[in-house]
Amino acid sequence: MGTDPLDAGRCRTDQCRSLPRPERGVETNQIALAGIGAAASFAIFQLNIPVWGGIHMNLTGLVGILAGPLLGALIALVVNIFSAALGHGAVGLLGANTLVNASEAIVAYYAFKTLMGMDWDVFPAGASAATVGLSAGAFLMGAIIVISGVNGSALPRGDLTIAVAGLVGLNLGVAVIEGLLTGFIVQFLASVRPDLVGLTDRDAHEEPSEVTA
Amino acid sequence: MQRWKQYGGLTALFASFLAAGYWGFIATGGAVPWAKRSAQALQRGVQEGSGALVDFGRGVVVAGPIRKGGLLVEFGGLVALLVVFGIGLYVYVDRYGGFGDDDRSARYP
């Protein structure tokens, strides 16, 4: 059992229940993770990969799982601002893009939390949570476009809805790729530093540095 | 939960999303980049197209506005800055135990 990589970082029910409930607010290690998450998300945001015709990934699911919903939403804003500053994404769409990306991080975080609470392994929980989070963002994107309409488009609302459904569908396919990637990353982090994904108390694994009387 | 149920659920989720993705790929123009695809779909509606789902020959390219605007150096610099800042924060927190509070508990009870 110990040699199976899927067992690494698995949250066993009794172990998880014994962990203290965190205080409200942001933990310090989450702030550090937020910095790394912002860098990774921003970098991968700008890289177009030759799959599904040419798409880019966001890593917002991973960011949400690692940094939490509050910092995840903040990272989405920062990444979109930097991207718009470099010309990738219109400034006028900053609000909508941030809303979509933030929803992905938030949904991924709560989906991961729920699945881990159901005693899932880390990989399927991470991959499913990221995929579901990204799909939530895709549906929100479609809803925003259909509700607000498109400037200069002569398409009737019904045709626009079908066209947007196609774009949402494509994003669901992309979500699978990003979900797989996220699952592997979360699985790796859980095996080397389970505290980073909230699976165990880091202090519980540290050797005492001094002897007290 | 039993492992086969977890992976069965994950496989079903992936299969349904990949099917939706393939339909979206075909319905919105086939093998065209996202910006062109969305502009075309939102202006002219769904138009079927084809082409390879994966085209490794094209390689990974930096986003058009950055590449065409000659901002590759700035992009690299910004990424490097964020990476250094992020890793710096991580190392600081790891070495000194945070920024003053000592809350290092798990987040998923």
Side-chain angles (χ1 to χ4, degrees), chain A residues 88-108:
Chain A
H88 185 200
V91 175
L93 292 174
L94 204 53
N97 283 339
T98 302
L99 204 58
V100 168
N101 292 146
S103 72
E104 292 167 353
I106 292 167
V107 171

Side-chain angles (χ1 to χ4, degrees), chain A residues 19-23 26-30 193-207 209, chain B residues 90-108:
Chain A
L19 295 175
R21 189 173 288 274
E23 302 276 336
V26 178
E27 296 168 25
T28 48
N29 64 342
Q30 281 179 277
R193 288 288 301 271
D195 60 297
L196 292 183
V197 287
L199 290 176
T200 184
D201 191 344
R202 182 164 65 180
D203 289 344
H205 289 273
E206 286 178 352
E207 294 292 327
S209 56
Chain B
Y90 179 84
V91 170
Y92 181 86
V93 168
D94 198 52
R95 184 169 296 175
Y96 300 108
F99 298 105
D101 60 349
D102 51 1
D103 178 15
R104 301 167 84 184
S105 58
R107 285 182 289 131
Y108 304 113

Side-chain angles (χ1 to χ4, degrees), chain B residues 22-107:
Chain B
Y22 185 68
W23 169 75
F25 174 78
I26 298 297
T28 55
V32 289
W34 174 260
K36 189 177 174 187
R37 178 192 306 279
S38 57
Q40 185 176 287
L42 296 178
Q43 295 298 326
R44 298 203 293 269
V46 290
Q47 292 182 324
E48 292 210 345
S50 61
L53 277 174
V54 179
D55 178 17
F56 288 122
R58 191 169 66 81
V60 176
V61 293
V62 177
I66 298 171
R67 193 178 66 253
K68 292 169 191 166
L71 292 168
L72 277 173
V73 176
E74 287 85 347
F75 168 64
L78 197 51
V79 171
L81 182 71
L82 285 168
V83 167
V84 168
F85 183 64
I87 292 176
L89 276 173
Y90 179 84
V91 170
Y92 181 86
V93 168
D94 198 52
R95 184 169 296 175
Y96 300 108
F99 298 105
D101 60 349
D102 51 1
D103 178 15
R104 301 167 84 184
S105 58
R107 285 182 289 131

